[in-house]
Amino acid sequence: MNYYIGIDGGGTKSHLVLTDENLNVIAENRGGPTNFLIIGKETVAKTIVDLINNTVKQAGINYDDIKGIFIGTTGAGRKNNADDLKNAIEQYAKSQGFTYYKLGVDSDARTALEGAFAGGPGSILIAGTGSIMFGKDANGNIHRIGGFGRWIGDEGSGFSIGRKGFIAVAKEFDGRGSETMLTKLLKSKYGIENSDILINKIYAENFDIASISQDVIECANRDDHVCQQILKEEATELFWHVVSSLKKLQLKELTISLIGSLLTNDNYYSKCFRDMIYKNLPQVTIADPIYNPAIGAVLMAKNL
């Protein structure tokens, strides 16, 4: 029996699936973050190899029967970065006495696209810690919109929403912005009760800015005007991603799948974005993904 491994990695966690050649899931496992541009490729290589080894042992199969391994992860959107991680994984695996038959690395957006449309044409819009839109036309050409990272891009992402949430809180502390429910929420959850603590959290403790995107959404769900305005602005940014995708793919009609809990959960943000699409882009259809990103990685493993 031939087996394949697909891994969907991100800034906070990773998801591995082991399947047979018919995509039947034999085993799956969860692991740590894989954004090697932030935590280093050696750390990520160990995380991935350990995750693979643990899963193979649990499944009770032979390494010789694994015909392909593919990893889709944040940070691997450029070939040189993907190659660096691939080499680090192979080197660490070799140091542990393992040699992988075929190994591939690409961005998590790429594997999510393959999974969403089972390898066929379509577009995905990802809004997680970062944001990006990927599309594949009928000829297999890949088109990308966004994904420029937190400093010059990632509009509509958890980081961008969280950053604007913190800005709103900072303005309230200064008395140069409107009151927001978010200020009280961050005080009760994280002890952020004044500007000094806020500054220390962000710059000394490296607070996970993207994590408070859920707090912003919670406040918007409870009719907080400041947080609702933030989400309207960010939803508009994602809307323009879709408009750009229509132009690049030169399509009269477009089917997109949404990836990431910000857009897939039922909340103020996802409703705001979907309403923009329904009202302004009738030629765009939002569809559920056929497979998850880890299965998308399996499909790419089979094509190595």
Side-chain angles (χ1 to χ4, degrees):
M1 177 70 75
N2 294 331
Y3 297 98
Y4 299 89
I5 287 177
I7 299 176
D8 173 40
T12 57
K13 61 184 182 299
S14 52
H15 175 210
L16 178 151
V17 292
L18 168 68
T19 79
D20 63 18
E21 54 196 12
N22 296 316
L23 299 184
N24 296 309
V25 176
I26 307 302
E28 61 183 315
N29 233 327
R30 307 278 175 172
T34 60
N35 189 342
F36 59 99
L37 297 182
I38 294 179
I39 62 177
K41 60 181 183 289
E42 290 78 14
T43 299
V44 171
K46 183 180 186 305
T47 295
I48 289 173
V49 172
D50 289 349
L51 186 60
I52 292 171
N53 292 343
N54 290 339
T55 306
V56 170
K57 288 178 182 177
Q58 290 171 14
I61 64 173
N62 296 321
Y63 268 97
D64 291 342
D65 293 328
I66 299 175
K67 301 306 179 183
I69 300 171
F70 205 96
I71 301 147
T73 179
T74 303
R78 289 171 291 278
K79 186 178 185 304
N80 60 319
N81 290 334
D83 288 344
D84 286 346
L85 179 59
K86 181 175 181 289
N87 291 335
I89 293 170
E90 289 175 334
Q91 289 174 13
Y92 182 77
K94 187 176 181 180
S95 74
Q96 301 301 303
F98 300 101
T99 300
Y100 298 139
Y101 177 62
K102 285 185 178 180
L103 176 69
V105 178
D106 208 322
S107 73
D108 54 341
R110 185 73 179 82
T111 50
L113 175 62
E114 291 302 309
F117 297 95
S123 290
I124 58 167
L125 178 62
I126 301 177
T129 301
S131 68
I132 192 170
M133 190 164 188
F134 255 70
K136 182 162 77 170
D137 63 24
N139 296 319
N141 299 311
I142 303 298
H143 300 270
R144 162 181 169 162
I145 295 96
F148 289 97
R150 60 183 57 184
W151 304 126
I152 60 171
D154 280 353
E155 301 90 348
S157 69
F159 181 86
S160 188
I161 292 170
R163 176 178 173 273
K164 285 189 175 181
F166 272 127
I167 290 173
V169 171
K171 287 183 175 181
E172 182 179 344
F173 282 151
D174 272 356
R176 56 191 173 93
S178 302
E179 289 187 6
T180 169
M181 190 185 299
L182 184 64
T183 302
K184 294 179 181 178
L185 183 59
L186 297 188
K187 178 181 177 180
S188 65
K189 288 184 68 173
Y190 309 108
I192 301 173
E193 58 184 14
N194 57 51
S195 57
D196 287 340
I197 294 175
L198 174 59
I199 292 170
N200 190 65
K201 287 281 186 184
I202 299 298
Y203 298 105
E205 299 180 15
N206 295 318
F207 190 95
D208 182 8
I209 292 175
S211 68
I212 75 152
S213 60
Q214 297 298 335
D215 299 310
V216 175
I217 290 174
E218 179 183 339
C219 292
N221 288 341
R222 295 161 61 186
D223 295 326
D224 182 84
H225 173 73
V226 172
C227 289
Q228 287 182 344
Q229 184 58 36
I230 289 171
L231 297 181
K232 287 177 183 176
E233 292 172 0
E234 295 301 293
T236 301
E237 293 287 354
L238 293 184
F239 171 83
W240 287 113
H241 279 61
V242 178
V243 172
S244 180
S245 185
L246 276 168
K247 293 178 181 178
K248 282 198 171 186
L249 293 173
Q250 297 181 332
L251 296 173
K252 293 182 179 180
E253 295 182 347
L254 175 67
T255 300
I256 65 172
S257 282
L258 307 179
I259 310 291
S261 59
L262 292 175
L263 293 177
T264 57
N265 288 343
D266 185 18
N267 57 54
Y268 184 91
Y269 188 45
S270 62
K271 288 179 180 177
C272 189
F273 171 75
R274 288 171 186 268
D275 285 346
M276 289 183 184
I277 297 297
Y278 296 148
K279 293 177 181 178
N280 299 285
L281 297 175
Q283 69 272 48
V284 173
T285 301
I286 298 175
D288 292 334
I290 298 173
Y291 296 119
N292 65 42
I295 294 294
V298 169
L299 291 171
M300 296 186 74
K302 293 184 69 175
N303 290 327
L304 283 173

